[in-house]
Amino acid sequence: MDQVFKALADPSRRAILDRLHASNGQTLTQLCEGMAMSRQAVSKHLAVLEAGNLVVCQWRGREKLHYVNPVPIQDIYDRWIGKYERDRLRALADLKRALEDNRDG
Amino acid sequence: MDQVFKALADPSRRAILDRLHASNGQTLTQLCEGMAMSRQAVSKHLAVLEAGNLVVCQWRGREKLHYVNPVPIQDIYDRWIGKYERDRLRALADLKRALEDNRDG
DNA sequence: TTGACAGGCAACCATATGGTTGCATAATTC
DNA sequence: GAATTATGCAACCATATGGTTGCCTGTCAA
């Protein structure tokens, strides 16, 4: 779980995920196009995404195809975001009450 | 948005959010209890959470009360995770097909 | 009014991170 | 089989990050 959050923390990696989301199964070279950094840098980012299981690879000859794996993102929602969403109104009410208490006192 | 992801990337900060989620409106000193690090470290983490607007503060005398703000988390879901969730089945189908194509070829 | 308490600021440190370059290896293609 | 293409590995570098310690300020209570 930590590796997923870590992987998502970098904007370049989120950009890579977005590109794969737009067109799944791209090679490293394809992903490098228009990425304003060296192939090695992109490769490292992909390694981090793989470590977080956000991207899954498939070798075809000398090409490495990259696919988005949506499962960890779903997990983050289920185990983490959903929990906060559920109590969203309560949290906002807490904030509001704190502000009001302060105004009164 | 980037600051929100950055804030969520650290396990200590997620722990702080969880503690506030369990009991909202805690002071710095309260949050430090059982946190295996100095007050300054916790204070820095809270500053990062505030920068990402995940935590909102309210001064009461010499005490600083901390409240979870659920809005950025909701935003992440709306603008980011939801997008991937929507195409989850398609992405999984992509993966499956890639594996099968490889098996055939 | 003096001491204790809650918190902030600044300097410092070790390690993690994001990036680079150079070279090596495996698969194509001519 | 030789050149090209796709990728990996390793060393290196600057900066970001997470942590510490020491000291300062403001508030509350005896």
Side-chain angles (χ1 to χ4, degrees):
Chain A
M1 193 62 129
D2 189 48
Q3 287 183 302
V4 181
F5 277 108
K6 280 274 172 62
L8 290 175
D10 186 86
S12 302
R13 285 194 287 270
R14 294 199 301 276
I16 290 176
L17 272 189
D18 275 338
R19 295 186 64 163
L20 285 179
H21 182 250
S23 170
N24 218 354
Q26 293 186 66
T27 67
L28 171 58
T29 311
Q30 286 176 319
L31 286 169
C32 283
E33 284 161 23
M35 277 297 287
M37 70 181 74
S38 71
R39 177 176 56 84
Q40 286 310 317
V42 176
S43 180
K44 278 193 187 182
H45 281 309
L46 285 169
V48 176
L49 289 167
E50 287 174 54
N53 204 30
L54 283 158
V55 161
V56 173
C57 298
Q58 168 72 27
W59 280 92
R60 190 179 60 191
R62 64 182 164 180
E63 290 182 325
K64 192 181 182 187
L65 307 182
H66 299 81
Y67 292 87
V68 174
N69 180 17
V71 175
I73 291 185
Q74 180 71 38
D75 285 348
I76 282 195
Y77 176 71
D78 289 344
R79 299 198 216 162
W80 223 83
I81 295 191
K83 178 171 61 178
Y84 286 81
E85 222 172 49
R86 246 171 271 132
D87 296 325
R88 195 166 120 252
L89 295 179
R90 200 208 61 186
L92 286 172
D94 284 347
L95 271 177
K96 195 180 164 208
R97 189 172 49 233
L99 294 169
E100 287 175 352
D101 284 359
N102 189 263
R103 193 192 299 147
D104 295 345
Chain B
M1 192 65 129
D2 189 49
Q3 287 183 303
V4 181
F5 276 108
K6 279 274 172 61
L8 290 174
D10 186 87
S12 301
R13 285 194 287 270
R14 294 200 300 277
I16 290 176
L17 272 189
D18 275 339
R19 296 186 61 162
L20 284 178
H21 183 250
S23 170
N24 220 353
Q26 294 186 65
T27 67
L28 171 59
T29 311
Q30 286 175 318
L31 285 170
C32 284
E33 285 160 22
M35 276 297 287
M37 71 182 75
S38 72
R39 176 176 57 83
Q40 286 310 316
V42 176
S43 180
K44 278 192 188 182
H45 282 308
L46 285 169
V48 175
L49 289 167
E50 286 174 54
N53 204 30
L54 283 158
V55 161
V56 173
C57 298
Q58 169 72 27
W59 280 93
R60 191 178 61 189
R62 63 182 163 178
E63 290 182 325
K64 192 181 182 187
L65 308 182
H66 299 83
Y67 292 87
V68 173
N69 180 17
V71 174
I73 291 185
Q74 180 71 39
D75 285 348
I76 281 196
Y77 177 72
D78 289 343
R79 300 197 215 161
W80 221 82
I81 294 191
K83 177 171 62 176
Y84 286 82
E85 222 172 50
R86 246 171 272 131
D87 296 325
R88 196 166 118 251
L89 294 179
R90 200 208 62 186
L92 286 172
D94 284 347
L95 269 177
K96 195 181 164 208
R97 188 173 50 233
L99 295 170
E100 286 175 353
D101 284 359
N102 189 263
R103 193 191 300 148
D104 293 345

